Amino acid sequence: MYRSRLGNDLSGITLDYVSSIDDDSEIALYDIIGSQAHTLMLYQKNIITKNDAKKILLALKYLKKEKFDSSSGAEDIHELIESLVIKKAGMASGGKMHTARSRNDQVALDIRMKIRDDINIICNCLLDTIEALVSVAKNHQKTIMPLYTHLQQAQAGLFSHYLLAHADVLSRDFQRLYGTFERVNQSPLGAGPIGGTSLPIDRHSTAKMLGFDDLVENSIDATSTRDFVAEYVAMISILMTNLSRISEDFVLWSTSEFSFIELSDEFTSPSSVMPQKKNPDILELTRGKTAEVIGNLTAILTTIKGLATGYGRDLQQIKSSIWSTSKISISSLLILKSILLTLKVNEKQMKKVTESSNLIALDIAEKLVQEGIPFRVTHKITGVLVQTAYHSKKPISKLTSTEIKKSVVGTKVNPKIVSKIISSTTVVSSLKDRKSYGSSGYDEQKRMISDRIQKINNYRTDITNRENKINLSIENLEKQVNEIIR
Ligand code: ARG
């Protein structure tokens, strides 16, 4: 349709090379809605007549229900929709739809509308997953587990504490995406190919009709920039790395060596040869798909970095990276939520491992600190206790008074105090005494859980308000369209 200045048509192979029609199925509806707003504005600004607007809007309404034929010969969805509008409305009216805009502002508009919807969907999925983490945490406030640093047992902790940590990680993903939305939800429509138009359009009016909070003011910026795409995919890359880390924990903990958790059958795969196997393939795929999303970010940044200012066709290629990023993150979140809600937790095993590993050493040292002994000295005493326990192959709690005496050699500490503290310190007592803000202590779990439930509710309200605002704008636009075409 556009090739009036050019001689020959594209060969089949070149058309296939140039065409983005397959990727464009994701933005077809946004393209139609954007065209509705643009047409209404052209009419309101007396650039086209009511009759022209009516014919164009009727054609667009019809196209909303249409399944597009990807073998139409069109280069992209913008060309296809315009040519179908012209076919239906006639050139006299349909030929006016593309007045005062370009595919450059159009495609930027469609991508922004797509990403803002995806952000809202992902934010909702995030809240569901966070809620699942908190609800499982609620049931495991007393489930003792070892906490690890360097993948070596570090301190005694609670499973709820672990889950709440990831609830907070995902809350930050939520906040990041929530912030990104503000920069995505700005309208580029009406920027034209790059420098604007001499026709008396109203960019603010189309922005409002389409539920945008603001405009990308500078028309060069509006048509050239894809930083909002890079930001979105970067935020999702961080989110995916967070999901990947949880996945790795769960893969490890579901091994027979750990046996801390058991994944529900529906989230595992059998082996083709070994009948006893129950493989955590689904979580492994979250790790694998995270790599794909990071690859998408790399592809996008690489595309943008060397591009001269102004639209370049290279930008067409980044669309599939966006769609794949959204799709992966949505399904990963949905799946993780279900994995959490169906997880079997082997409380006995977690407790056994915790109690058999002298994880209360630091708690003993801290109790000695409360007797006025410098921490560096108490650290040394407990170090000797752990070493003696290790060599005599028994837990600290089973050390004899002679063995305990060895630990205070070279200090002024009374070994009886050490004995007393050892006999009164267990994993449970240490978790009762752990009072610091945000710690594994029992009391902190209760406080953090109720605080997080409150936060999730507030986030839900924020997202619902955002969605309602967009939906209301699109409904109003639809009403205005219907008034003209009735
Ligand atoms: N199919 C193109 C894309 O997805 C649309 C914009 C084309 N603009 C142009 N001047 N060739 O990026």
Side-chain angles (χ1 to χ4, degrees), residues 23 26-27 111 114 319-327:
D23 289 337
E26 298 270 352
I27 48 170
I111 296 174
K114 160 80 174 147
K319 288 186 289 188
S320 57
S321 303
I322 310 172
W323 314 163
S324 128
T325 298
S326 294
K327 193 166 166 249

Side-chain angles (χ1 to χ4, degrees), residues 179-284:
T180 298
F181 179 95
E182 288 168 23
R183 284 171 289 282
V184 171
N185 199 30
Q186 302 186 341
S187 174
L189 187 59
I194 181 161
T197 172
S198 58
L199 294 162
I201 60 165
D202 183 352
R203 293 190 58 201
H204 289 94
S205 145
T206 46
K208 193 162 172 247
M209 284 190 238
L210 294 169
F212 284 98
D213 296 322
D214 205 348
L215 290 178
V216 190
E217 182 185 351
N218 186 316
S219 62
I220 302 174
D221 182 22
T223 49
S224 320
T225 303
R226 293 293 184 272
D227 61 353
F228 69 97
V229 174
E231 179 177 343
Y232 168 65
V233 177
M235 296 309 116
I236 301 290
S237 299
I238 299 173
L239 157 63
M240 287 305 300
T241 57
N242 290 332
L243 300 185
S244 186
R245 288 192 75 181
I246 304 175
S247 304
E248 171 56 15
D249 284 339
F250 284 3
V251 166
L252 198 64
W253 294 349
S254 60
T255 57
S256 44
E257 284 74 8
F258 268 89
S259 276
F260 284 1
I261 57 172
E262 193 184 330
L263 301 170
S264 166
D265 286 355
E266 61 206 287
F267 299 110
T268 57
S269 298
S271 153
S272 62
V273 273
M274 299 162 283
Q276 86 284 7
K277 291 276 266 176
K278 186 174 170 180
N279 293 328
D281 295 36
I282 316 295
L283 289 167
E284 289 167 343

